[in-house]
Structure formats: structure tokens, C-alpha cells
Amino acid sequence: GRKIENFFYCVLLIQLGKENEDITSMPRVERFRGSLRGELVADSDDTEEYEKARVIWNGDWTIPNAPRFIVHCRGVSDVQKCVRFAKEEGLEVAVRCGGHSLRGLSTNEGGLVIDLGKYMRAISVDAEAREVWFEGGCLVKDVDSETEPYGLCTVLGAVGNAG
């Protein structure tokens, strides 16, 4: 079988501890932005881009949803850089796949959201071993569409748009 390394839980929420200061325009944010393969969207960026990036699927619009930063990660190294940056800056972290957390765990107020759903959606099926490997940004329907031709199915839920 294939070893799965760097498995991410979609409902990860970490409180990292330091008081938030206004860091959005500081040089260390620009260094962080430049180190990523994916995109960093800050609350100080273009309003339309930020509003689009912070959308979550949740009928309860009272959930606080104003992260300072949203990073659309392109791989594990981006996720690692996000966790490191958040720890250094004392930012709360939320991980978002499909943005379907009914409790609002895929976002936060003033912290950093690690968004896996835009780019981290690769799926690999080993039909012989009857195993599937998929990245943390996949939706249930993505995994189902790749496993169904092999007579495999997931136990990830009944709603295809859930992450």
C-alpha cells in the first residue's frame, strides 16, 4: 500500500496565542506572500477578491467570517508555511476544504484561513489495492466520481458538495 503522509483534517482549528497587531502591510507579510506557490488574499486587498475568497457554505450568516488572511494553497509546502507564519504572528488558523462547517470551523475572525479547496484536489485510485488517495481540498463528489468506475465508494457523507 501507499504511505499517506501529511494527512490534513478539514476541521482543524488552532489557537496559536499572540495578540493580533496590524501586520497586513508589513514587509514580513510580503515575504510570506512571495514564498507561496498559491495565493494570499488579505483583508486589505481588493474588496471583490477578498469577498470572493472568504465565502463559506453555511446558512448561518451570523458566523464570524472575517479572516485577516486567506491562502489558496498549491501544496504541502504552502500549508507548512502558513502554519509557521501563523505561529510566528500569533494568528488563529482554520483549515477550509469545501467551507461546509455548520459550526463555522472553516473560517475565523482576524486569523489565517488555509484554503485547500481551490488547488489541492488531486485524487489517485489504486484499483488493485482498492485504495484511494486524495488531497484535503477534494469534495465528496470529486472522490466519488473517481472511485465509482472501480466499484469503490466513500464513507464521507451524503452531500456531494461537502469537503
Side-chain angles (χ1 to χ4, degrees):
R2 187 183 296 201
K3 257 189 167 179
I4 298 176
E5 298 175 355
N6 300 312
F7 183 78
F8 301 103
Y9 290 98
C10 296
V11 197
L12 175 67
L13 184 65
I14 306 170
Q15 178 65 43
L16 294 167
K18 188 168 139 187
E19 285 298 317
N20 292 339
E21 56 185 278
D22 186 15
I23 61 171
T24 50
S25 63
M26 294 186 175
R28 59 186 183 255
V29 173
E30 291 312 310
R31 280 194 303 276
F32 173 55
R33 186 187 305 261
S35 75
L36 298 167
R37 289 179 36 229
E39 298 105 29
L40 180 142
V41 180
D43 59 359
S44 60
D45 291 345
D46 175 73
T47 304
E48 186 176 332
E49 183 180 6
Y50 175 74
E51 291 302 319
K52 184 178 176 184
R54 74 184 192 105
V55 169
I56 58 170
W57 181 95
N58 190 310
D60 183 359
W61 300 112
T62 63
I63 289 175
N65 179 24
R68 183 167 289 159
F69 304 106
I70 302 161
V71 178
H72 301 293
C73 295
R74 286 191 180 263
V76 172
S77 66
D78 277 355
V79 174
Q80 292 168 335
K81 289 172 187 175
C82 286
V83 172
R84 194 174 307 116
F85 178 78
K87 183 177 180 182
E88 290 169 0
E89 301 302 331
L91 297 169
E92 181 179 307
V93 174
V95 178
R96 179 170 67 201
C97 299
H100 283 75
S101 171
L102 294 175
R103 292 182 42 217
L105 298 178
S106 59
T107 191
N108 60 43
E109 191 80 15
L112 185 143
V113 171
I114 298 173
D115 187 335
L116 307 177
K118 188 171 183 179
Y119 298 116
M120 295 185 67
R121 297 177 77 160
I123 301 168
S124 177
V125 178
D126 182 338
E128 190 174 305
R130 301 185 59 77
E131 295 177 348
V132 62
W133 174 90
F134 54 94
E135 290 183 309
C138 290
L139 301 178
V140 172
K141 67 182 178 183
D142 300 330
V143 179
D144 284 344
S145 70
E146 293 296 319
T147 58
E148 190 272 330
Y150 302 101
L152 303 172
C153 65
T154 62
V155 291
L156 299 174
V159 179
N161 287 331

